[in-house]
Amino acid sequence: MKSKKKSSFLSKSAPYLLFIYCLAVLLFFLAELKLFGLDEYLRATNQVLILFALLIMPFVIINMPSFIQSLTLKVSDKEFHVQLNEMESNFSQTIGRVQRQVSTSEQSFWPILAGEDVLASQRLEGPNPKIIIGAKSDLSQMFFTELLALAIRHDNPHFVCEIRYPNGDSMHNFAELKYRWLDVYMDYTGTCLQYFNIQHKTEAHEVKSANTLTDELNRYGQGLGIKWLGNLGCSEDYCLVMTPETAESEEITCISDLKTKGAKLTFSADPEFMNRKDCLLGLLEYGVKFKSVLPCSITDRYSAKESGEAEVFVGYESDPQVTGGDVIILKDTDQFFPRYLAQPLISAAVLKKFPEIEDRLSILEDCMNTDDLNNIVARIGKSNNDPVRAKEEAKLIFQQALKKHKQKQAKPA
């Protein structure tokens, strides 16, 4: 009862606090301009104004739902909608969404600002050189790190592989690889194409082959100290998904249907998808516009499904929700998305010092298909995301890949 009275008092006081805050800032501003003689009575440094804002704004924000029901921000044709009347009960969740977007952006700047790791070359010296393996946040990446480590250490047990899982989003891992804060990680063809604005189709709108795209990437990689190796044969393609019930009721089967029907639907996506040319930015150019976009973390992309906060979601073809039938994939009839084939990226400096590593990683080329990856991700998920299970799965795939590689080498030329 006491808590309710306190909450009621704060809610009623919010408009007055906001009014006092705005009035005080206005008076300080007029005083700084030396108008109306206010400078004789009021003087405020920037520090005082900042401290004043920090003091009062938390009270205003917490109680904002009492006098503002909702807030929509529109930036570059994207709308971010926050239902403030739900903010009081879900305040930490709302703040968490904002923090995820900020941290995703800022983490990519660190290796760029820090420059090249001055200890990178030293790390590769000695009897036990250390190879750092980066990774993104999803379960397939947990598996890939273990697979890369097995390949690198095959017939090279003196190597020490340090796995960094998770290690941020795609851009962060790519920047760290360029500046040698890590040595190798697994990324996807479609993701890397957008770094250099490489189109996955020809001018005749024909889809380029995987080898052609890898060659194009390596033309850029030569100047960056990065090399793309052959793909594993599996993909983790992006897709847009809906629940079967919603897709049926809205009569939506293809991504192109969203050009006319997306304006009344809310889309949920992680910050990386929201800010990439091959993802949401490209969808806008393609003609797909949503009523609003609800941010989420990459590992919690379906959080708004049960609550009904969103109707359309970004998915990977390996998601358990997709393979299990909880959601259906909207057909990509115009091949909007490129293929996202898994392939290792490695530092050219590492290959120069240890050329045998490229031979070891070549064992992984065409070692598995997408169904294999989907099943592995599902099993790791059922084991409560256990890294030990990921390592066991990697061992099985590597043993198969090694056997296949030896058979291939044994065949006469």
Side-chain angles (χ1 to χ4, degrees), residues 209-236:
S209 70
N211 289 337
T212 298
L213 293 173
T214 299
D215 289 341
E216 289 189 42
L217 286 168
N218 276 320
R219 290 193 196 109
Y220 287 95
Q222 287 176 0
L224 297 172
I226 294 173
K227 186 169 184 178
W228 279 262
L229 304 180
N231 71 77
L232 273 63
C234 59
S235 63
E236 197 160 7

Side-chain angles (χ1 to χ4, degrees), residues 24-172:
V25 170
L26 176 62
L27 289 174
F28 282 133
F29 179 70
L30 293 174
E32 291 297 317
L33 294 177
K34 298 184 179 180
L35 296 176
F36 310 115
L38 290 173
D39 56 307
E40 296 181 11
Y41 307 99
L42 295 172
R43 293 296 297 167
T45 63
N46 291 338
Q47 289 85 349
V48 170
L49 288 173
I50 292 170
L51 288 172
F52 182 74
L54 292 174
L55 173 66
I56 197 168
M57 284 310 291
F59 296 99
V60 176
I61 293 172
I62 290 171
N63 294 284
M64 204 176 284
S66 63
F67 56 97
I68 299 177
Q69 294 301 307
S70 64
L71 178 67
T72 300
L73 301 177
K74 189 169 184 179
V75 182
S76 301
D77 292 328
K78 291 190 291 183
E79 288 189 354
F80 301 92
H81 185 74
V82 180
Q83 197 69 27
L84 294 176
N85 56 4
E86 298 175 1
M87 201 169 172
E88 191 169 2
S89 60
N90 298 302
F91 186 68
S92 60
Q93 182 181 357
T94 305
I95 291 298
R97 286 172 177 167
V98 175
Q99 286 175 334
R100 282 193 291 269
Q101 293 183 77
V102 173
S103 63
T104 300
S105 301
E106 71 181 6
Q107 65 179 303
S108 302
F109 287 108
W110 161 245
I112 297 172
L113 294 173
E116 186 170 313
D117 182 5
V118 295
L119 300 179
S121 296
Q122 182 179 330
R123 174 163 43 81
L124 299 177
E125 299 293 341
N128 300 108
K130 180 190 289 186
I131 303 295
I132 298 177
I133 303 173
K136 295 189 275 188
S137 301
D138 49 276
L139 292 182
S140 59
Q141 290 276 317
M142 180 192 289
F143 161 74
F144 286 144
T145 59
E146 298 291 351
L147 190 61
L148 288 170
L150 285 170
I152 290 170
R153 297 189 76 248
H154 175 63
D155 288 344
N156 296 274
H158 58 288
F159 280 116
V160 176
C161 289
E162 178 183 316
I163 291 175
R164 292 181 181 174
Y165 172 85
N167 191 52
D169 65 354
S170 299
M171 187 66 79
H172 179 68

